[in-house]
Amino acid sequence: MSAYELSTAVAVAAAITDGRTTARQVVTAALDRIGRLDGRVGAFTDVVAARALARADAQDAALSGGAKPGPLTGVPFAVKNLIDIAGLPTRAGSKINRERPPAERDGALVRRLEAAGAILVGALNMGEYAYDFTGENVHDGDAHNPHALDHMTGGSSRGSGAALAAGMVPLTLGSDTNGSIRVPAAFCGCFGLKPTYGRLTRAGSFPFVGSLDHLGPLARSVTDLALAYDVMQGPDPDDPVATLRPAEPVLPHLDAGIDGLRIAVAGGHFARGGDPDAFAAVARAAEVLGARGTVELPEAHRARAAAYLITAAEGATLHLDRLRTRPQDFDPAVRDRLIAGAMIPAPHVERAQRFRRWYRARVLELFETVDVILAPATPCRAPKGGQTHFVLDGVTLPVRANIGVFTQPISFIGLPVVAAPIRLDAGLPLGVQVIAAPWREDLVLRVARHLERTGVSTAPIAELA
């Protein structure tokens, strides 16, 4: 591997700024690796090589002329294909959407990353309309886990995790409605941040469930994750739920350590229904962090059920016209879930929303006594591609419906979470959720950084020839 392929975003930007390499050399290396490996991995659906090289040349010329470099100067990145890229139709993983007119401008987060110097190289594979946990797509082909190509990446931000694990780019963007950043991060062995609901603008992205959708970064280091998060913060009038809170940078506090933090492990729902390895990963992180005691998120199993119900109902509402006029152009599995969602009685949805408010209030009470909560990210390591069932706690269950068993009760109320990769052995990675109260991304990133510094949490590039 080249030095670039082993580098973090921060290291790439530093090498360009110091004159040890150029933006064109870095982007060319990224495009070359994508070209060599993506036929097997399936992370990308679109590569914008001409745009990327033109921007790299412009950056090199500006730096030669004395321009001040940005914090992400020359860093190649890619985005889940539900985020607008000027000149391309926004696929959202579907067959139908690729017939839409090309986007007139980039999504807001793409613009913010490029304002910091990053260079977009393409769009990434995803589950159809983000309604997926496995990493499979009947229209664009499956994305394959670079650590074991016959295993799943997890969804729906499948390409966002796979591109990082394969060393194609050091930074990606994904979306998370019920776990779609955290699951691919766990299965592919990288870091992912689902920020507080409303913290990062979603303007210029195709929605799935408006009351649950988040956008966020994935990376191979916590520093990269924090830097990307910082440059993407800020209010946006184009997203009605974007917070008006000013940006609250986390990078200056990233290495503050964990002294004084009250860290606990989630019990109850989060301590059953998974493989022993999933809980061993949490125990390993808890040991290193000095976690004390357990807390129980009340009625977390009902929160998961309510999240399913709201997801199905809101998702179906968004797609009713397409379901009526073009049912044959959906992935049948997605279509059937959306049709089922359209038939949910309105009083059931209202009841789920009332429960959601109650549950959020109860969980926030927990953060009066703890600062950070640890939980598994997934109930197991990545299943094999095409696998439809697995056995958890001695019970045979459908894979697609149960991968998000530990992520859904958290995104349901919009809490900030870092998914941190844990390797217990030479097998596939696992992930741990680091969870805090709303707007405390600083805490989850500090804890993840401590896990990284101690060597418990690492995100190596897969060994692909």
Side-chain angles (χ1 to χ4, degrees):
M1 291 185 182
S2 71
Y4 155 68
E5 290 162 351
L6 293 172
S7 291
T8 62
V10 169
V12 168
I16 294 170
T17 300
D18 294 346
R20 286 174 281 142
T21 188
T22 66
R24 173 169 267 271
Q25 289 173 325
V26 167
V27 169
T28 298
L31 294 172
D32 176 69
R33 190 164 175 86
I34 293 166
R36 287 189 290 110
L37 299 180
D38 200 50
R40 286 184 287 155
V41 176
F44 281 80
T45 55
D46 303 271
V47 176
V48 290
R51 165 181 167 154
L53 290 169
R55 183 167 176 82
D57 288 342
Q59 280 196 7
D60 288 336
L63 290 172
S64 296
K68 181 180 179 181
L72 289 170
T73 288
V75 173
F77 76 102
V79 302
K80 188 173 182 176
N81 72 28
L82 57 63
I83 299 172
D84 290 350
I85 296 175
L88 296 178
T90 304
R91 298 188 189 206
S94 72
K95 176 180 179 180
I96 298 171
N97 271 37
R98 65 194 67 197
E99 299 172 11
R100 289 160 56 95
E104 295 184 358
R105 67 171 183 166
D106 297 329
L109 295 187
V110 174
R111 299 197 305 271
R112 291 181 180 186
L113 286 172
E114 290 207 325
I119 297 177
L120 181 71
V121 298
L124 298 165
N125 202 343
M126 61 173 284
E128 184 177 56
Y129 292 123
Y131 208 169
D132 165 67
F133 267 133
T134 65
E136 298 162 319
N137 186 298
V138 300
H139 311 299
D140 292 312
D142 300 342
H144 303 280
N145 194 318
H147 295 290
L149 292 172
D150 58 341
H151 284 253
M152 295 177 180
T153 58
S156 62
S157 304
R158 62 187 65 172
S160 303
L164 286 169
M168 297 175 184
V169 289
L171 181 66
T172 64
L173 291 185
S175 71
D176 191 309
T177 301
N178 285 297
S180 289
I181 286 174
R182 290 161 288 160
V183 168
F187 282 175
C188 294
C190 55
F191 295 94
L193 171 64
K194 185 200 77 63
T196 305
Y197 180 76
R199 168 53 91 180
L200 296 184
T201 175
R202 304 169 305 180
S205 66
F206 195 88
F208 174 29
V209 180
S211 69
L212 294 173
D213 290 345
H214 309 65
L215 300 183
L218 296 89
R220 291 196 302 267
S221 84
V222 179
T223 302
D224 287 358
L225 206 63
L227 176 55
Y229 169 70
D230 278 358
V231 303
M232 291 189 293
Q233 286 190 58
D236 187 348
D238 291 333
D239 181 352
V241 306
T243 182
L244 297 178
R245 294 168 69 100
E248 297 170 283
V250 298
L251 196 59
H253 314 290
L254 193 60
D255 286 318
I258 61 171
D259 288 350
L261 292 185
R262 301 166 298 174
I263 302 172
V265 174
H269 172 85
F270 298 92
R272 57 179 180 265
D275 282 348
D277 285 349
F279 305 122
V282 175
R284 178 70 177 124
E287 177 187 17
V288 170
L289 295 169
R292 297 186 177 183
T294 62
V295 295
E296 187 160 346
L297 280 65
E299 305 289 348
H301 63 295
R302 286 195 173 89
R304 182 181 177 231
Y308 255 124
L309 193 151
I310 292 169
T311 296
E314 285 194 31
T317 299
L318 177 67
H319 293 288
L320 278 177
D321 286 344
R322 282 177 282 271
L323 288 168
R324 290 189 182 108
T325 60
R326 300 186 62 174
Q328 73 282 359
D329 290 330
F330 282 84
D331 176 336
V334 173
R335 180 194 62 216
D336 292 350
R337 291 198 298 277
L338 290 172
I339 291 173
M343 295 188 289
I344 297 174
H348 288 26
V349 181
E350 182 182 353
R351 184 177 179 184
Q353 293 287 18
R354 286 201 306 271
F355 170 80
R356 185 183 189 179
R357 292 190 290 273
W358 176 88
Y359 175 69
R360 176 181 169 84
R362 301 292 79 74
V363 172
L364 292 185
E365 289 171 359
L366 295 177
F367 288 109
E368 296 174 5
T369 57
V370 300
D371 299 306
V372 170
I373 299 172
L374 306 176
T378 60
C380 59
R381 304 177 200 242
K384 285 201 169 186
Q387 184 176 336
T388 60
H389 289 77
F390 49 19
V391 178
L392 299 175
D393 269 358
V395 180
T396 300
L397 297 166
V399 169
R400 190 186 298 271
N402 288 281
I403 288 177
V405 61
F406 299 132
T407 54
Q408 288 173 294
I410 308 303
S411 43
F412 183 55
I413 51 174
L415 302 180
V417 190
V418 167
I422 305 290
R423 282 186 174 270
L424 297 176
D425 49 39
L428 290 171
L430 293 145
V432 169
Q433 293 186 91
V434 183
I435 308 159
W439 318 115
R440 296 312 308 264
E441 283 82 358
D442 61 320
L443 296 185
V444 295
L445 286 160
R446 274 173 56 190
V447 169
R449 175 64 178 137
H450 184 82
L451 288 171
E452 184 183 39
R453 290 175 66 186
T454 58
V456 172
S457 188
T458 61
I461 292 173
E463 294 293 335
L464 289 168

